[in-house]
Amino acid sequence: MAKRANSFACQSCGAVYGRWQGRCDACSGWNTIAEESAPPPLPGGSGPRGPAGRGKGRVFPLEGLSGASMDAPRIASGIAELDRVTGGGFVRGSVILLGGDPGIGKSTLLMQACGALAQNGRRVVYISGEEAVGQVRLRAERLKLTAAPVELAAETNVEDVIATLSNGPAPALVVIDSIQTMWSESVEAAPGTVTQVRGSAQLLIRYAKTSGAALILVGHVTKDGQIAGPRVVEHMVDAVASFEGDGAHHFRILRAVKNRFGPTDEIGVFEMTGSGLAEVPNPSALFLAGRDTGSPGTAVFAGMEGTRPLLVEFQALVAPSSLGTPRRAVVGWDQSRLSMLIAVLEAHAGLKLGQYDVYLNVAGGLRIVEPAADAAAAAALVSSLTGAPLPPDRVYLGEVALTGALRPAAQTSARLKEAAKLGFGAAFLPRAGIEAAGSSPMALDAGGDVADLVSGIAALAPRSKRRTASDGG
Ligand code: TYD
Ligand code: MG
C-alpha cells in the first residue's frame, strides 16, 4: 500500500491544508491547524480490490422506483415536544446530530426518548462514550426508567460498536453519546481530532443507512455555539438539532437547525425538573409568567413558532446616553433589525433616539426571528421612551417596512386565538391584516404605519412624565 501523505486539518472547522500554517483561512482561527494522517479509503463498501482491479469500477445493480420501501418510515418517541421538532418521529435510517452546551440535558433527553421507545417494545441501544455504565444507570434511576429494556454500553471503538449493533435484529434507535469520544482503528489519528470524528461519523452513518436504524449523534458545542469538530459532520447528517437554554431558567428549547425530513421552524419546549425533562405543551403561559405589567417598556408579541402560536414579552430600555456613540444592545433579537427599526421610527414617526442608549431583550431567553415582531419591539421602545406603560391585556404584531408602513403577519387569526385563550383582550395589528383576523373576540386596533403606533402609545403617557416624540433629545 502506498504511503499516505500526512495532511494538516483545522481542529475547529475541518479545513484541510497541504502544509502547516498559523491561521486557518476558512474559519480565521489561530493555531487551530494540526498534523494528521490522511483519512484512509473507507472499509467495506466496494470491498478490497487487488492491484489488477484498481481503477476499474464494480458493477452494482440499479433498481426501480417501485418495489419494497421501508416500512413505517417514522418512529414516534411519544414525547410530543420531541416529535414536533423531528417532524413526527425519527426517520428510519436517518442520522440526527444533537448539539448543546455541556450540562444542558442532552443525555437526559435522549435517555428519556430511549426509555419511551424501549417501553413500546422497540430495540434501543444507548452507547455512552463519556460516562460509565453505572453513571448512566444513576441517571436512569432518577428518570424512573430502570425498568425500560434499553440496551446500554460504555464503549468508544466504532468498529466494536458497529459489530455489536449488527449482532441481532437492527435496532430502531441508536444513540451515540458523544461523537467526539468515538474512534476508529482505520483512522490513524488521535481520538477527538477532526479526522477521527469525521471518520467515525462516516462509519456510523453508513451503518444507519444500511441497517435502517435511526441514529442520534450527540455533539459538543464550542464556546461560540458551534458544534465542535468538523462542520462536515453537519453536512453528512440528515438533521441537526440544538438543545438550548440558559443557566438562570429551568426551561430548555429544542430547535432543528437543519432537517431533511421535517420542519426547521418548530421548537420543542421542556422544563428541567428533579426527575428529568417535562414537556411544556403551553409555552406562552411559561414565557409570560412573572410579567411586570405596570411598568413602561414591555410589549407582548403574538408570535408563531412553526405551527404553534407563542406569546412572548419584548422588553426595552431607552435611557439618555453619556457616550458619544449611544449603545444599542439586543438579546434574543437581531441587532441589525433593531438598527433598522430605530431608523424607521426616527424617519417616519419623528422620534429622536440619537441621544439615547437602547436595550432590547426578549424575555425568557427566547430567540425571535419573525419579522412580525417589529411592531412589538417598536411598541416596547416607544413605551420606554415616553414612560407610558402599555395596556397589560394587549398584544402587538406586524412587520415594519422601511417606508414606515405596517405589513400583516401570516396566520393572524391563530395568533389572536392563542392570545384570547391566555386572557388578552386587545390587539394592535396592521390595517391590512384586519380581514385575516376573522371574527376575533378581541378589541382590534389597526394602524397603517409606525406613526399610528407611536401616536396611540403617546396618548397613554401620564401628563407629568410625557416626553413627546419631538422633544426626545
Ligand atoms: P445531562 O443530560 O447530563 O446534560 P448533557 O448531556 O447535555 O451534558 O444533564 C445534566 C444536568 O441536568 C445536571 O446539571 C443535572 C440536571 N438534571 C436535573 O436537574 N434533573 C434530572 O432529572 C437529571 C437527570 C438531570
Ligand atoms: Mg451528556
Side-chain angles (χ1 to χ4, degrees):
M1 195 158 118
K3 185 180 181 304
R4 276 187 258 114
N6 280 1
S7 64
F8 295 82
C10 171
Q11 301 297 309
S12 81
C13 75
V16 179
Y17 300 91
R19 58 192 175 81
W20 190 85
Q21 56 193 62
R23 184 174 192 239
C24 174
D25 297 336
C27 71
S28 310
W30 286 99
N31 213 10
T32 54
I33 294 171
E35 184 172 7
E36 291 181 357
S37 53
L42 275 179
S46 42
R49 297 180 195 182
R54 191 172 287 267
K56 285 210 192 108
R58 181 180 60 94
V59 178
F60 54 84
L62 296 168
E63 293 176 57
L65 289 178
S66 63
S69 58
M70 287 178 181
D71 54 354
R74 283 189 190 271
I75 309 158
S77 69
I79 301 175
E81 293 294 303
L82 175 60
D83 291 340
R84 172 196 295 281
V85 175
T86 53
F90 305 116
V91 175
R92 278 178 205 274
S94 76
V95 184
I96 300 175
L97 179 64
L98 176 67
D101 290 334
I104 203 77
K106 300 178 295 297
S107 305
T108 306
L109 176 68
L110 294 177
M111 182 48 77
Q112 285 182 252
C114 285
L117 281 175
Q119 277 166 342
N120 276 333
R122 312 263 192 184
R123 183 177 179 212
V124 178
V125 183
Y126 188 102
I127 306 287
S128 176
E130 303 198 331
E131 294 165 301
V133 170
Q135 285 174 300
V136 181
R137 283 198 185 125
L138 271 182
R139 180 180 297 115
E141 259 168 46
R142 210 167 159 186
L143 302 173
K144 301 189 176 61
L145 285 172
T146 40
V150 176
E151 295 171 44
L152 174 67
E155 185 53 64
T156 55
N157 179 303
V158 172
E159 277 81 12
D160 293 352
V161 167
I162 292 177
T164 309
L165 293 175
S166 310
N167 185 18
L173 177 70
V174 178
V175 172
I176 303 287
D177 188 1
S178 66
I179 186 63
Q180 273 89 3
T181 56
M182 294 292 137
W183 66 281
S184 160
E185 283 156 15
S186 63
V187 179
E188 293 169 36
T193 56
V194 171
T195 317
Q196 270 294 359
V197 170
R198 184 172 39 202
S200 307
Q202 228 155 15
L203 292 170
L204 288 163
I205 291 169
R206 177 192 297 252
Y207 166 76
K209 300 284 167 199
T210 49
S211 69
L215 173 67
I216 302 181
L217 305 174
V218 173
H220 287 268
V221 165
T222 58
K223 55 184 181 307
D224 50 355
Q226 302 289 346
I227 292 180
R231 294 305 297 272
V232 284
V233 174
E234 290 190 24
H235 300 295
M236 286 154 65
V237 298
D238 299 300
V240 179
S242 72
F243 204 35
E244 304 165 358
D246 61 23
H249 299 101
H250 286 300
F251 46 85
R252 305 276 183 266
I253 294 168
L254 182 67
R255 192 186 288 276
V257 184
K258 152 184 172 177
N259 196 348
R260 281 188 190 146
F261 302 116
T264 51
D265 53 359
E266 295 281 4
I267 61 170
V269 185
F270 298 88
E271 189 176 0
M272 183 61 95
T273 70
S275 53
L277 290 157
E279 296 178 56
V280 179
N282 186 358
S284 301
L286 183 76
F287 290 124
L288 292 180
R291 193 159 64 99
D292 182 7
T293 46
S295 2
T298 71
V300 176
F301 166 50
M304 208 74 197
E305 287 284 343
T307 54
R308 174 165 57 181
L310 185 67
L311 270 67
V312 284
E313 185 191 44
F314 274 71
Q315 304 168 342
L317 177 64
V318 178
S321 179
S322 56
L323 302 167
T325 311
R327 288 203 57 161
R328 271 89 174 88
V330 44
V331 177
W333 207 46
D334 186 29
Q335 179 90 43
S336 45
R337 197 93 200 161
L338 174 65
S339 307
M340 191 202 88
L341 192 63
I342 291 174
V344 172
L345 286 171
E346 290 187 328
H348 299 289
L351 256 59
K352 292 206 174 62
L353 291 159
Q355 305 292 315
Y356 290 92
D357 288 335
V358 175
Y359 302 90
L360 189 75
N361 178 39
V362 177
L366 214 63
R367 197 152 39 81
I368 299 294
V369 292
E370 265 196 293
D374 292 349
L381 288 177
V382 176
S383 160
S384 177
L385 179 70
T386 59
L390 300 174
D393 71 334
R394 173 179 292 228
V395 295
Y396 290 81
L397 64 155
E399 179 180 349
V400 173
L402 282 179
T403 57
L406 289 169
R407 299 239 179 90
Q411 311 189 57
T412 300
S413 70
R415 295 169 195 261
L416 295 182
K417 215 176 274 169
E418 172 80 359
K421 206 165 81 189
L422 285 161
F424 286 84
F428 177 89
L429 72 174
R431 194 163 290 141
I434 275 281
E435 270 166 44
S439 58
S440 171
M442 302 175 87
L444 301 182
D445 177 9
D449 55 24
V450 283
D452 294 347
L453 177 72
V454 172
S455 59
I457 296 169
L460 301 166
R463 290 242 158 242
S464 55
K465 282 174 87 180
R466 188 182 296 179
R467 278 181 278 171
T468 55
S470 36
D471 67 30

